[in-house]
Amino acid sequence: MLTSSDKERLVYKQHILDSNISSFQSKENILSEFERIYSNKSKKHCEDRLLMQNILTEASTNRYHILLRWVIAHMKENDMTVDDMKGTLDIAIEKNDKDIAKAIAWYMTREFFVKFANQLKDATDIFPGIRCSCRGSLVLDCSFCTNERVIIILTRTAIKEKPDTYYGFEIEEVNPDLSNSDDSEAVTISDILSSKYTNSYSLKVKLPTNSVENIFNRHSNITLICPSVLMSKSFYKVHAVQERICIHLHCKKKGIIPLGEDHFPTSILGIPTDIIEGNISFITKLRI
């Protein structure tokens, strides 16, 4: 009869065995990607568009990130187009695969930029995103809360003769000057803070440097992070300001998640965040 000590040893050995099997399977997946790439390089498979389309679908379905990037690198020599990518992006979003969705979306965005380079010559930034339907703290635990795709173009000059859509992406231009105008959310909040509050907000909110750097690294849409004592609600509807210690996350465009990234944090170190569109100017009485 097995003693309790024997049973514990058996359970531990089984755990080690399962871990080794899992590690081996993970290595096999990586090797299988390189094997496929080597096979396609050594044969004339890369000249077969239909086969490359199948490989593209396989890479997206099985989350083969390296293989997918190899296919993207050989798109033009196989006469593959952006149209070949659209279905693959659908698969990645359905599987909530941020890495593959991001790679495909940026490829499509680059192709869009190249095709309309003359019209976009005054653009200062461009990125693919997903429209976010979440409100307040009710954030879905998923990178793709909707399937509404959009290419955001930051430009101070109105774009002429641009398409409304591009392979499933809505095209939207954003003028950063309007986001920083006198009646914008960022400037409105800054003016209220400057006129009614004199103390430094950082005395009430301590933000570790590593936490701030991590947020900037994970969210390319964020342009400024600063503590505040006011929360802004429903700015574009019935604007209300609530006196509450919080952290303002200023961004280029509200309601858009850069494709492949996560939602903004609803709190940082237990302090609620407030999303503000636009940047405050440092000629205002900003207190940090």
Side-chain angles (χ1 to χ4, degrees):
M1 180 178 295
L2 294 175
T3 65
S4 59
S5 179
D6 291 333
K7 291 180 180 179
E8 290 177 0
R9 281 195 291 270
L10 286 174
V11 170
Y12 177 73
K13 288 181 179 179
Q14 184 62 47
H15 172 71
I16 295 297
L17 178 61
D18 291 342
S19 298
N20 289 337
I21 291 174
S22 176
S23 176
F24 175 77
Q25 289 174 339
S26 177
K27 291 178 180 178
E28 281 293 300
N29 286 337
I30 295 175
L31 287 175
S32 65
E33 290 189 69
F34 284 111
E35 287 170 349
R36 284 170 172 78
I37 293 172
Y38 180 78
S39 174
N40 291 322
K41 286 183 66 176
S42 61
K43 300 177 182 179
K44 292 187 176 181
H45 286 180
C46 60
E47 299 175 3
D48 188 335
R49 180 181 178 184
L50 180 59
L51 179 60
M52 291 292 281
Q53 289 173 332
N54 291 335
I55 294 173
L56 185 63
T57 302
E58 177 192 13
S60 182
T61 302
N62 296 304
R63 301 190 174 191
Y64 291 158
H65 301 171
I66 300 172
L67 183 60
L68 177 113
R69 283 167 172 78
W70 180 82
V71 174
I72 290 177
H74 293 81
M75 291 281 288
K76 291 185 178 179
E77 65 191 65
N78 293 282
D79 296 322
M80 297 179 72
T81 65
V82 177
D83 196 42
D84 294 311
M85 280 293 187
K86 187 176 181 300
T88 311
L89 180 58
D90 292 335
I91 295 173
I93 291 178
E94 182 181 347
K95 289 181 170 292
N96 196 36
D97 191 324
K98 295 187 296 183
D99 292 334
I100 284 185
K102 183 176 182 178
I104 297 172
W106 270 108
Y107 168 80
M108 297 174 75
T109 302
R110 282 193 296 270
E111 291 298 302
F112 168 79
F113 183 80
V114 170
K115 183 174 182 178
F116 298 97
N118 290 333
Q119 293 94 318
L120 302 176
K121 60 183 179 181
D122 294 325
T124 58
D125 196 5
I126 183 172
F127 64 91
I130 290 286
R131 291 200 184 279
C132 178
S133 60
C134 303
R135 293 293 176 266
S137 59
L138 301 176
V139 175
L140 295 178
D141 187 21
C142 172
S143 300
F144 307 104
C145 52
T146 72
N147 195 23
E148 298 178 35
R149 308 162 203 181
V150 58
I151 292 177
I152 298 294
I153 306 168
L154 269 68
T155 176
R156 290 180 168 84
T157 306
I159 302 172
K160 298 179 180 179
E161 300 179 359
K162 71 173 176 63
D164 294 327
T165 61
Y166 182 78
Y167 291 99
F169 283 86
E170 182 184 347
I171 308 302
E172 181 177 342
E173 54 185 289
V174 176
N175 188 333
D177 290 338
L178 297 180
S179 298
N180 301 322
S181 62
D182 290 341
D183 58 350
S184 68
E185 184 175 25
V187 175
T188 299
I189 294 298
S190 178
D191 288 345
I192 296 174
L193 289 170
S194 298
S195 62
K196 293 187 177 182
Y197 298 89
T198 58
N199 294 327
S200 173
Y201 316 138
S202 62
L203 298 178
K204 300 181 179 181
V205 179
K206 298 295 183 180
L207 291 177
T209 301
N210 59 342
S211 297
V212 174
E213 288 180 351
N214 182 49
I215 294 171
F216 274 122
N217 290 336
R218 292 174 54 202
H219 302 282
S220 60
N221 194 15
I222 291 180
T223 58
L224 178 68
I225 301 174
C226 62
S228 179
V229 291
L230 290 181
M231 292 193 77
S232 176
K233 301 292 184 182
S234 305
F235 181 77
Y236 294 105
K237 296 180 180 178
V238 181
H239 190 213
V241 176
Q242 177 185 1
E243 189 170 296
R244 184 180 181 185
I245 295 176
C246 61
I247 298 172
H248 281 173
L249 302 180
H250 292 256
C251 65
K252 304 170 189 175
K253 176 65 178 175
K254 286 179 73 169
I256 302 295
I257 304 174
L259 218 146
E261 297 183 10
D262 294 319
H263 290 79
F264 288 157
T266 56
S267 65
I268 300 174
L269 301 177
I271 303 170
T273 58
D274 189 19
I275 314 303
I276 306 293
E277 184 170 295
N279 290 320
I280 51 179
S281 171
F282 283 99
I283 61 174
T284 61
K285 299 176 182 179
L286 171 65
R287 295 177 183 80
I288 56 175

